Amino acid sequence: MDSWPLGCRLLSAFLFLIVSASAAASEVNQFCEAKIGYEESGCGISASSSKILVKGGTVVNAHHQEVADVFIEDGTIVAVRPNIEVGDDVTVLDATGKYVMPGGIDPHTHLAFGFMGTETMDDFFSGQAAALAGGTTMHIDFVIPVDGSLIVGFEAYEKKAKRSVMDYGFHMAVTKWDDTVAKEMEIMVNEKGINSFKFFMAYKGSLMINDELLLEGFKKCKSLGAVAMVHAENGDAVLEGQKRMIELGITGPEGHALSRPAVLEGEATARAIRLAAFVNTPLYIVHVMSIDAMEEIAKARKSGQRVIGEPVVSGLVLDDSGLWDPDFVTAAKFVMSPPIRAAGHNKALQAALSAGFLQLVGTDHCVFNSTQKSMGIDDFRKIPNGVNGIEERMHLVWDTMVESGKISVSDYVRITSTECARIFNIYPRKGAILVGSDADIIILNPNSSFEISASTQHSRTDTNIYEGRQGKGKVEVTIAGGRIVWINDELKITAGSGKYVRLPPYGYLFEGMDKVDAMYISSLKAPVKRSRSAV
C-alpha cells in the first residue's frame, strides 16, 4: 500500500470510514427501531442535567418512608428533605402521588454467556438497556472461568462489559478445584472486587463439582470473607432422570421438568446447607424454585444458620403449565434450571418471601431466542436453559407482592434492592436514598398499569415468558448514576457509561462468625489426655 499514490490512500481511508460509520449507524438504527436510543445516535434523545430535583414524592427506604424532595448533583444524592429550593439550572421531576425508591439491584444475571453450544441473546448493552427500562439500575453477573481459570474468565468478562450502560458487579463461578484455583480466588477478592463464588451441584460433565470440592470451596470462601453460593440440584440424579425420560420416549420440553423434580432440588439444598454448617460459613442458595428447597432454608434459618434464599421472578409468578404447550417454541421458552414448578410452589415461595424465610428476588436472566431453543426440538437435553426477567422483575414483584397486600412498600425496597446491597457489602452506597448514596432512583406510579409483550421489550430475544401479563404499578422514571435514563417510555443511554462496582469482602453475614468458631472449639472437650497402659 505504501506504493499507492497519496490520493488513492486518502480515498481508501475515506471509503473505510464510510463503511465503518454505516455499520455503526445500522446497529444504532436497530436500537432506535426497538425504542432503544443512544444519546449520540440521532434518535432525538439528549443528555440530562447533572442536577436533578425529584419533588414531592413519597421517598421509600427499607427502614422508613416520608414525603420529601431528593436533590441529586453529579451522580450523588446530596439532600433528602421537604421543600428544597433550586435554581433554573436544575431538572425538576414532579413525583407527587408516586413512590421514589432506590433503583433495583438484580443479584442474578447471565449476559453474554456462552452456554450449551450457543451464547445468550442479551449482552451487557441490550440486557442492561432492558434492566433500566424496568427500573433496575445495577446487576451482578456471573463470570464463568475459561478452561477452569478464574483470571482468564474475569478478563474475558471485562471485555464483554465494555459497552455497559449502568453499574454492575461480578460473582465468580468455580468449576474445578486445585491449588491454582484457590490462589486465583484470593486474587479475585483482594484485587478484582469479587466477594462471592458460585458452585454448581448440577450440570454433570461440565460445571458440576462434587462434595469434596464443594467443601474445599466453602473453606476457601470462609477464609476470604466471600459468600459461597450454590446452584442446588443433585446432578447425578438429574442425569438419571434424563435417561429415564428418554427411555420413556419423552423428548419434549416437559421432559426437562420431569427429569429434575423438586425432590432433587430439596436434597441438594439440604446437603449444601449441612456442609456449610459443618464449615461454619454463610451460604447463598440461588434461584430457589420449590417448596422442598424453601423448607430446608427456612429450617436452617430458624436454627440460626446464616443461609440466604433467592427466589427468582419466574418461580414466584408462574407455574409449569407452559412446558406442556403443544407448540414447541412456546413450551421451550420456559425451560430453565431448576425448572418452573407445578402450581402451588409459586404461592408457597410468595408466602416465604413475605414471612422473611426468603430474603431477596433475582431473575436468572439468561435469554435464548426461539431458533436457539430449537436446538433441542428432538431432545429436551439440548434446549439451552434460561428465561427472561431483568426488565420485568420490578413490575411483577410489585404487582404480585405489594398490590396483593403480601408485603409493604418498604419490604418491596428491601427485597428488590437493599438486601442485595447489604449481602454484597455495598450498602448504603447502593440500595438506599440517603445523603451520600449513589443517585440510582426510580419513580413508580402505583396507579399506572403495565402490560408485558415481546413486541415492546428491550431484550434482543424474540419471546417473553410473561407474554400478555398485565398489572398495576409502573416504573415511569429511572435515574442511574445521576442521569435520567428512562422517561416517557424512552431510553436515554450511552454505551460505555456503566461502571464496574467492586464488592468488598466480609459483609454483614460474617459478623460474629469467629465467636461461633471459638464456641465450637471450646465445646469439643478434646483432646482427652489418656495414659498408655502397659502392653
Side-chain angles (χ1 to χ4, degrees), residues 114-182:
F115 186 52
M116 297 183 72
T118 187
E119 183 170 303
T120 55
M121 290 301 298
D122 280 334
D123 58 17
F124 279 79
F125 178 82
S126 66
Q128 290 184 353
L132 292 172
T136 288
T137 53
M138 180 179 170
H139 70 112
I140 310 179
D141 208 81
F142 286 89
V143 173
I144 307 300
V146 174
D147 297 327
S149 171
L150 278 55
I151 290 176
V152 177
F154 182 85
E155 291 171 348
Y157 270 74
E158 279 187 310
K159 293 176 182 176
K160 291 180 180 185
K162 289 290 187 185
R163 299 179 69 240
S164 292
V165 296
M166 72 182 200
D167 289 359
Y168 62 96
F170 285 143
H171 308 291
M172 174 63 73
V174 175
T175 56
K176 72 171 189 177
W177 189 261
D178 55 30
D179 289 342
T180 299
V181 171

Side-chain angles (χ1 to χ4, degrees), residues 93-417:
L93 300 173
D94 184 6
T96 304
K98 303 172 186 178
Y99 290 110
V100 180
M101 299 183 284
I105 307 175
D106 190 338
H108 189 153
T109 62
H110 297 280
L111 302 181
F113 175 33
F115 186 52
M116 297 183 72
T118 187
E119 183 170 303
T120 55
M121 290 301 298
D122 280 334
D123 58 17
F124 279 79
F125 178 82
S126 66
Q128 290 184 353
L132 292 172
T136 288
T137 53
M138 180 179 170
H139 70 112
I140 310 179
D141 208 81
F142 286 89
V143 173
I144 307 300
V146 174
D147 297 327
S149 171
L150 278 55
I151 290 176
V152 177
F154 182 85
E155 291 171 348
Y157 270 74
E158 279 187 310
K159 293 176 182 176
K160 291 180 180 185
K162 289 290 187 185
R163 299 179 69 240
S164 292
V165 296
M166 72 182 200
D167 289 359
Y168 62 96
F170 285 143
H171 308 291
M172 174 63 73
V174 175
T175 56
K176 72 171 189 177
W177 189 261
D178 55 30
D179 289 342
T180 299
V181 171
K183 291 175 182 176
E184 287 186 331
M185 285 177 70
E186 296 176 12
I187 294 170
M188 291 300 112
V189 172
N190 298 327
E191 300 178 21
K192 304 300 185 182
I194 287 177
N195 68 1
S196 51
F197 295 89
K198 181 180 180 181
F199 304 90
F200 290 87
M201 302 172 76
Y203 300 118
K204 188 170 184 176
S206 58
L207 301 173
M208 176 180 162
I209 62 173
N210 61 28
D211 287 356
E212 178 186 1
L213 302 188
L214 194 61
L215 280 168
E216 291 297 327
F218 281 3
K219 289 191 295 182
K220 192 65 179 180
C221 283
K222 180 180 180 179
S223 72
L224 294 171
V227 177
M229 313 174 83
V230 292
H231 172 135
E233 287 182 289
N234 186 313
D236 292 313
V238 167
L239 184 62
E240 175 60 28
Q242 290 174 332
K243 291 177 181 176
R244 182 185 299 174
M245 292 304 113
I246 296 299
E247 289 171 358
L248 292 171
I250 302 171
T251 60
E254 69 278 7
H256 176 77
L258 294 170
S259 69
R260 49 208 312 149
V263 65
L264 303 188
E265 185 186 354
E267 185 279 331
T269 301
R271 180 158 39 99
I273 286 172
R274 284 158 176 76
L275 293 178
F278 179 63
V279 175
N280 186 34
T281 196
L283 181 66
Y284 185 116
I285 312 290
V286 303
H287 47 45
V288 178
M289 300 294 285
S290 67
I291 294 172
D292 305 54
M294 177 271 291
E295 288 182 339
E296 295 294 342
I297 294 166
K299 183 166 63 175
R301 288 181 62 85
K302 284 180 180 178
S303 73
Q305 190 174 345
R306 299 181 188 188
V307 180
I308 298 296
E310 170 212 89
V312 291
V313 178
S314 54
L316 281 175
V317 307
L318 299 176
D319 61 42
D320 68 347
S321 57
L323 288 163
W324 271 260
D325 194 284
D327 177 64
F328 174 84
V329 170
T330 300
K333 73 180 180 180
F334 293 98
V335 170
M336 65 174 293
S337 295
I340 299 167
R341 304 296 183 186
H345 286 271
N346 52 356
K347 298 294 184 183
L349 294 176
Q350 292 172 24
L353 190 60
S354 175
F357 295 127
L358 301 175
Q359 286 67 54
L360 74 170
V361 181
T363 62
D364 195 7
H365 183 87
C366 181
V367 293
F368 302 96
N369 66 19
S370 54
T371 300
Q372 292 170 306
K373 291 275 189 176
S374 293
M375 291 164 58
I377 195 165
D378 296 317
D379 185 345
F380 66 83
R381 296 172 298 181
K382 298 178 182 178
I383 301 173
N385 291 192
V387 300
N388 61 288
I390 201 168
E391 184 169 358
E392 299 82 9
R393 178 182 72 123
M394 299 293 282
H395 291 112
L396 289 172
V397 173
W398 179 274
D399 185 60
T400 302
M401 301 299 296
V402 182
E403 190 65 25
S404 65
K406 292 182 176 68
I407 62 172
S408 68
V409 180
S410 289
D411 283 337
Y412 173 81
V413 169
R414 175 177 56 81
I415 66 176
T416 60
S417 183

Side-chain angles (χ1 to χ4, degrees), residues 28-46:
V28 168
N29 287 336
Q30 289 175 12
F31 285 109
C32 292
E33 291 169 6
K35 300 180 182 176
I36 299 178
Y38 275 129
E39 287 185 354
E40 70 269 27
S41 71
C43 287
I45 297 173
S46 59

